[in-house]
């Protein structure tokens, strides 16, 4: 009962709760399917190692309950394979020798009686399910895994696979949770994790994680990885090398706009346009914009997904003193941290509001705990430091929803991005306004130019109506290379029907033409409606 004792005596209340919840999932699985109906997939990695010992803890707890009820030792002896669960392992020729050695030694140490399969995983599963009474398989899947996007704790197998129930007791665990558990319990794990490996695939596609490389060329152990988002970096080396060969890699950003008032059309979102324009001006590409309401679970889920998919995430909204401002709580959950008063933020707020400081004011001083939280200073128009610095957690920058405040704080983000990496060439755009209305007349030309320019130039066609210049189609060309943009523009104009081009604009601000007397090149776009525009829509005002 060593693992169960370690869990019950754990002083980290959050980790203890996660462990007990996982143990409860295992016990519930045994209640639902019986010992003969549940199997355990063990592959020697850190996640399945954690799961092995959580199952041992569940078995120990089950035995303890039976013994207390009967008053005598239970028949489930310590040397019985995980209380009767079938354990299986898929062997491949490309497996690390260290992984094979660890799995076999673990099977012997804990009397697992491990079944070994070779070949295709799907075929092996079909064989396993046909030859046994197994109906459910306990897996070490975590939310950040590539195949975990739509899974739940109890999740039926995917279409096309043999039917069984996937059980994921540690689905919500983070990378740091895994290592906290392994260190808490002191159980053995594969030695590769002490040699700089953070995620194990095959010999062919896995190397030590460069984020753990030390000055002398050796590697720090996996539990010292500073940023959990880099967990699988050692298994992405081929992709990274291809990117470097292809030239300068574009930096990407994801935007998370938060506010029920936006989704209910009470407030018009003006922040998305501003942030997209500003990011592109410094050479960053916005890969995704997500608009959500003020629910902690939803914000948490989207923050995690965006943080993994993009170089940076910018959130906007939900930072005020009222009950509907839950961005910080969601961010803490997404980072697997506690939410608490940040000492520096608290000090700033108390100094600013003085004797008038209330509990509502202090809500704005809450932040996720941990060393990854960083305060970024920015100055007011007079040059003084703002009493409310910008918050950054890992690759997530947290901005207010009020446009005027967001735009001021953006300058601090911009300076931070430019200081951390060389400035990228800004995106340049060219608009061709056409007196055409049928996009089929330009489709072939666009395809030819796209094929000739490759990925250097992006092209788009946009039907428009009611334009003051009579345009029916606007073609947009975009590139960070002025030469490539000019070359593509000239090529495209030469392929269009004669007389189709009304006008050409470089770095235009909008596709729709402005009011009479204006020019698309002036950057004219429909104003982001304030109350003066009519219709009862106010400007975005969520903090």
């Amino acid at each position: 009962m060593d693992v169960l004792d370690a869990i019950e005596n754990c002083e980290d209340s959050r980790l203890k709760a996660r462990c007990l919840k996982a143990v409860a999932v295992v016990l519930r699985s045994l209640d639902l399917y019986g010992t003969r109906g549940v199997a355990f997939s063990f592959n020697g990695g850190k996640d399945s190692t954690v799961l092995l010992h959580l199952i041992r803890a569940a078995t120990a707890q089950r035995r303890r309950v039976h013994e207390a009820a009967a008053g005598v030792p239970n028949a489930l002896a310590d040397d019985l394979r995980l209380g009767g669960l079938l354990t299986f392992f898929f062997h491949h020729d490309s497996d690390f020798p260290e992984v094979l050695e660890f799995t076999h030694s673990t099977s012997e140490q804990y009397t697992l009686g491990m079944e070994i399969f070779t070949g295709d995983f799907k075929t092996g599963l079909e064989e396993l399910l046909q030859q046994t009474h197994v109906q459910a398989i306990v897996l070490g899947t975590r939310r950040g895994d590539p195949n975990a996007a739509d899974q739940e704790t109890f999740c039926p197998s995917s279409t096309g696979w043999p039917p069984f129930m996937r059980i994921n007791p540690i689905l919500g665990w983070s990378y740091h949770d895994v290592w906290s558990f392994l260190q808490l319990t002191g159980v053995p794990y594969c030695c590769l994790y002490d040699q700089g490996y953070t995620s194990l695939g095959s010999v062919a596609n896995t190397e030590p994680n460069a984020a753990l490389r030390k000055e002398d060329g050796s590697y720090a152990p996996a539990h010292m990885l500073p940023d959990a988002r880099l967990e699988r970096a050692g298994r992405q080396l081929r992709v990274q090398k291809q990117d470097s060969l292809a030239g300068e890699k574009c930096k990407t950003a994801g935007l998370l706009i938060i506010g029920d008032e936006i989704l209910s059309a009470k407030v018009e979102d003006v922040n998305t346009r501003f942030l997209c324009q500003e990011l592109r001006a410094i050479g960053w590409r916005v890969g995704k914009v997500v608009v959500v309401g003020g629910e902690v679970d939803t914000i948490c889920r989207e923050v995690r997904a965006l943080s993994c998919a993009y170089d940076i995430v910018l959130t906007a909204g939900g930072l005020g003193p009222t009950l509907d401002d839950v961005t910080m709580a969601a961010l803490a959950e997404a980072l697997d941290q506690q939410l608490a008063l940040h000492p520096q933020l608290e000090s700033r707020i108390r100094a600013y509001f003085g004797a008038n400081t209330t509990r509502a004011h202090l809500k704005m001083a809450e932040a996720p705990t941990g060393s990854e939280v960083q305060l970024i200073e920015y100055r007011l128009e007079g040059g003084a430091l703002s009493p409310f610095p910008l918050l950054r957690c890992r690759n997530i920058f947290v901005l207010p929803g009020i446009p005027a405040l967001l735009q001021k704080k953006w300058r601090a983000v911009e300076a931070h991005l430019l200081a951390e990496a060389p400035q990228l060439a800004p995106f340049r755009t060219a608009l061709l306004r056409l007196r055409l209305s049928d996009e089929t007349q330009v489709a072939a030309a666009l395809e030819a130019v796209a094929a000739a320019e490759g990925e250097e130039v992006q092209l788009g066609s946009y039907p428009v109506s009611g334009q003051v210049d009579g345009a029916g189609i606007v073609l947009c060309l975009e590139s960070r290379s002025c030469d490539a943009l000019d070359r593509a523009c000239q090529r495209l104009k030469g392929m269009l029907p004669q007389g189709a081009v009304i006008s050409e604009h470089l770095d235009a601000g909008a596709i729709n033409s402005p009011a009479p007397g204006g020019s698309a090149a002036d950057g004219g776009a429909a104003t982001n409606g304030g109350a003066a525009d009519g219709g009862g829509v106010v400007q975005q005002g969520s903090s």
Side-chain angles (χ1 to χ4, degrees):
M1 296 187 187
D2 53 328
V3 174
L4 182 58
D5 290 339
I7 293 172
E8 292 178 338
N9 294 322
C10 179
E11 296 181 356
D12 182 340
S13 59
R14 182 180 160 280
L15 178 63
K16 180 178 180 179
R18 293 208 160 186
C19 291
L20 293 176
K21 181 179 179 180
V23 167
V25 169
V26 174
L27 291 173
R28 185 57 180 156
S29 303
L30 296 176
D31 291 339
L32 290 170
Y33 299 101
T35 5
R36 298 180 66 195
V38 180
F40 165 48
S41 174
F42 183 60
N43 63 13
K46 61 185 184 301
D47 298 329
S48 64
T49 299
V50 167
L51 196 52
L52 164 64
H53 295 287
L54 287 171
I55 295 173
R56 290 182 60 230
T59 303
Q61 189 177 89
R62 195 175 183 219
R63 182 167 58 250
R64 179 187 293 176
V65 172
H66 287 197
E67 289 176 353
V72 294
N74 188 262
L76 294 173
D78 288 338
D79 61 351
L80 185 61
R81 57 175 77 170
L82 292 186
L85 267 71
L86 170 67
T87 304
F88 64 94
F89 170 75
F90 276 86
H91 170 86
H92 298 284
D93 292 337
S94 60
D95 288 334
F96 281 93
E98 294 87 346
V99 172
L100 295 175
E101 192 282 328
F102 174 68
T103 55
H104 289 293
S105 64
T106 300
S107 180
E108 293 178 6
Q109 181 176 358
Y110 298 106
T111 323
L112 301 181
M114 189 168 60
E115 297 284 342
I116 299 176
F117 294 89
T118 58
D120 177 66
F121 186 78
K122 183 177 179 181
T123 303
L125 278 183
E126 290 175 344
E127 180 183 342
L128 172 70
L129 296 172
Q130 288 171 1
Q131 296 178 358
T132 67
H133 296 281
V134 170
Q135 298 174 274
I137 299 176
V138 184
L139 302 164
T141 302
R142 288 190 291 114
R143 187 66 71 189
D145 295 344
N147 65 333
D150 299 320
Q151 293 201 40
E152 300 296 338
T153 304
F154 288 86
C155 182
S157 56
S158 301
T159 303
W161 282 72
F164 67 93
M165 181 63 71
R166 291 176 289 191
I167 301 172
N168 304 312
I170 62 171
L171 186 64
W173 285 39
S174 69
Y175 178 86
H176 295 299
D177 288 334
V178 167
W179 284 108
S180 295
F181 175 86
L182 293 174
Q183 292 174 321
L184 170 72
T185 56
V187 296
Y189 52 82
C190 181
C191 64
L192 290 175
Y193 291 114
D194 287 334
Q195 301 171 25
Y197 291 84
T198 53
S199 178
L200 299 179
S202 68
V203 173
N205 66 11
T206 310
E207 293 185 16
N209 195 320
L212 292 171
R213 186 179 176 86
K214 298 190 288 188
E215 292 184 0
D216 62 2
S218 63
Y219 290 84
H223 70 84
M224 295 184 67
L225 185 68
D227 187 343
R229 293 178 299 117
L230 300 175
E231 176 184 355
R232 299 179 64 84
R235 297 174 67 173
Q236 299 171 354
L237 295 177
R238 290 186 176 180
V239 174
Q240 291 171 353
K241 290 175 182 176
Q242 289 172 357
D243 286 338
S244 64
L245 292 174
E248 182 184 32
K249 182 181 178 181
C250 181
K251 293 285 188 178
T252 58
L255 307 184
L256 182 61
I257 310 299
I258 301 162
D260 293 308
E261 67 277 14
I262 297 172
L263 294 175
S264 61
K266 295 182 179 69
V267 164
E268 187 173 0
D269 172 25
V270 300
N271 288 329
T272 295
R273 176 180 170 83
F274 172 82
L275 291 173
C276 288
Q277 286 180 325
E278 294 296 320
L279 283 162
R280 298 180 75 76
I282 59 172
W284 285 65
R285 181 181 297 282
V286 177
K288 189 173 185 179
V289 179
V290 181
V291 181
V292 298
E295 298 86 28
V296 170
D297 291 345
T298 303
I299 298 170
C300 171
R301 181 175 64 253
E302 297 296 345
V303 164
R304 283 178 172 169
L306 291 171
S307 179
C308 290
Y310 300 101
D311 294 306
I312 64 166
V313 179
L314 301 177
T315 72
L319 299 182
T322 58
L323 58 85
D324 58 332
D325 295 312
V326 298
T327 296
M328 281 302 179
L331 185 59
E333 180 67 21
L335 299 175
D336 297 302
Q337 296 174 354
Q338 300 288 339
L339 182 68
L341 286 175
H342 189 286
Q344 288 178 265
L345 287 176
E346 180 184 5
S347 176
R348 295 283 191 91
I349 285 178
R350 289 189 183 277
Y352 185 77
F353 291 104
N356 296 320
T357 302
T358 66
R359 183 178 178 181
H361 290 129
L362 293 178
K363 185 176 186 292
M364 295 187 289
E366 293 179 337
T369 56
S371 59
E372 294 173 307
V373 176
Q374 179 183 3
L375 299 184
I376 301 175
E377 303 288 359
Y378 80 100
R379 295 188 179 276
L380 304 174
E381 292 181 1
L385 285 177
S386 168
F388 306 105
L390 177 72
L391 194 73
R392 176 184 182 176
C393 302
R394 297 182 188 171
N395 67 332
I396 305 160
F397 294 84
V398 186
L399 294 168
I402 299 174
L405 297 179
L406 178 141
Q407 291 170 23
K408 290 178 182 178
K409 288 199 172 187
W410 158 252
R411 297 306 165 197
V413 177
E414 180 184 39
H416 204 72
L417 296 179
L418 295 177
E420 283 193 347
Q423 182 169 359
L424 303 172
F427 283 94
R428 307 297 300 275
T429 60
L431 297 184
L432 300 180
R433 301 181 63 81
L434 311 182
R435 55 173 55 89
L436 302 175
S437 58
D438 183 358
E439 284 189 288
T440 62
Q441 294 178 273
V442 301
L446 290 174
E447 290 179 4
V449 174
E453 298 300 333
E455 296 183 357
E456 272 199 288
V457 180
Q458 288 76 47
L459 299 97
S461 174
Y462 306 95
V464 292
S465 61
Q467 304 298 290
V468 295
D469 59 358
I473 295 174
V474 178
L475 301 183
C476 178
L477 299 86
E478 186 173 73
S479 178
R480 290 193 301 183
S481 166
C482 292
D483 291 340
L485 182 65
D486 182 65
R487 185 173 60 247
C489 208
Q490 297 306 318
R491 183 190 298 269
L492 182 58
K493 287 191 293 183
M495 300 178 70
L496 292 172
Q498 188 173 5
V501 179
I502 300 173
S503 59
E504 179 180 345
H505 304 275
L506 181 64
D507 294 329
I511 290 173
N512 289 320
S513 64
S519 167
D522 297 332
T527 58
N528 293 295
D533 297 324
V537 178
V538 297
Q539 277 201 331
Q540 184 172 5
S542 171
S543 57

